Amino acid sequence: MDAEQEWGRSVFASMTALTRAIEALHAGEWVQRASGVALDRALHPVVASVGERGSARISDIARDLGLTVPTVSRHVAQLLERGLLERVSTTADRRTTVVRLSARGRAVRSQLRRAWVDILGLATQDWADDERRAFEDLFARFAQGLRTAQPGRNGRGRVVRVEHGDSAQA
């Protein structure tokens, strides 16, 4: 195994650990207790996506979250029913549902965000300020790289073939 493959395996292991830690925080209801928000965790990303966009079509939310339109439609219906989202009238296409956070939805988003900021503070409480800044910069850059990654390209314009299993060929 070459150095790039070893690095990739190590980062993937850390990403898996991060995903499990986030799931454990939700499963242990820590986020719910810390935020005071009793909301199915599957709905949190929809609240975040709509909050980031200001208003959004269901298809935009689905694309943001990598979910199907029917799944997002069900989530949006639940959030509308709970009063966290509201429909926005559009003149462009009345068949398209556009939603935005209601005042209550903005408050819930704020509470969830505050809880996660507290969690991040606890997780990095023994880090120096320069380490936190470096992590913030690199993590943002990494997230952007994941959003723009094109499967089949190595980022240098070269097409690569990725095989499942232990070996990959360029």
Side-chain angles (χ1 to χ4, degrees), residues 94-107:
R94 297 202 184 274
R95 295 170 298 171
T96 302
T97 300
V98 178
V99 294
R100 69 178 171 215
L101 294 176
S102 64
R104 185 168 173 228
R106 288 189 300 275

Side-chain angles (χ1 to χ4, degrees), residues 24-39 44 111-112 114-116 118-119:
L25 287 166
H26 279 291
E29 297 179 354
W30 198 96
V31 175
Q32 184 174 319
R33 285 192 310 273
S35 66
V37 174
L39 184 66
H44 292 200
Q111 289 169 267
L112 290 169
R114 250 191 323 274
W116 277 107
D118 290 348
I119 291 168

Side-chain angles (χ1 to χ4, degrees), residues 10-170:
S10 176
V11 170
F12 183 74
S14 294
M15 286 174 46
T16 301
L18 174 64
T19 301
R20 287 182 182 148
I22 290 169
E23 289 300 318
L25 287 166
H26 279 291
E29 297 179 354
W30 198 96
V31 175
Q32 184 174 319
R33 285 192 310 273
S35 66
V37 174
L39 184 66
D40 182 337
R41 67 181 169 183
L43 302 178
H44 292 200
V46 177
V47 169
S49 177
V50 174
E52 288 167 13
R53 286 178 164 275
S55 64
R57 296 177 306 158
I58 289 175
S59 59
D60 294 330
I61 301 165
R63 190 173 36 259
D64 285 352
L65 303 178
L67 299 172
T68 65
V69 169
T71 298
V72 172
S73 292
R74 284 190 302 275
H75 292 337
V76 165
Q78 290 176 42
L79 292 165
L80 285 164
E81 187 176 305
R82 293 189 67 174
L84 300 179
L85 293 180
E86 57 191 19
R87 282 188 170 78
V88 178
S89 33
T90 62
T91 56
D93 185 353
R94 297 202 184 274
R95 295 170 298 171
T96 302
T97 300
V98 178
V99 294
R100 69 178 171 215
L101 294 176
S102 64
R104 185 168 173 228
R106 288 189 300 275
V108 163
R109 179 176 182 244
S110 178
Q111 289 169 267
L112 290 169
R113 212 172 234 200
R114 250 191 323 274
W116 277 107
V117 167
D118 290 348
I119 291 168
L120 295 172
L122 288 171
T124 60
Q125 65 187 351
D126 60 344
W127 293 19
D129 287 343
D130 61 328
E131 290 173 315
R132 282 181 166 193
R133 280 191 299 278
F135 178 76
E136 177 186 4
D137 292 343
L138 291 171
F139 200 71
R141 191 170 157 199
F142 178 66
Q144 180 61 33
L146 285 176
R147 280 191 294 275
T148 60
Q150 295 181 28
R153 296 205 173 266
N154 70 356
R156 296 180 205 82
R158 243 184 17 199
V159 175
V160 294
R161 190 174 101 222
V162 178
E163 295 177 358
H164 296 283
D166 286 341
S167 64
Q169 298 175 331

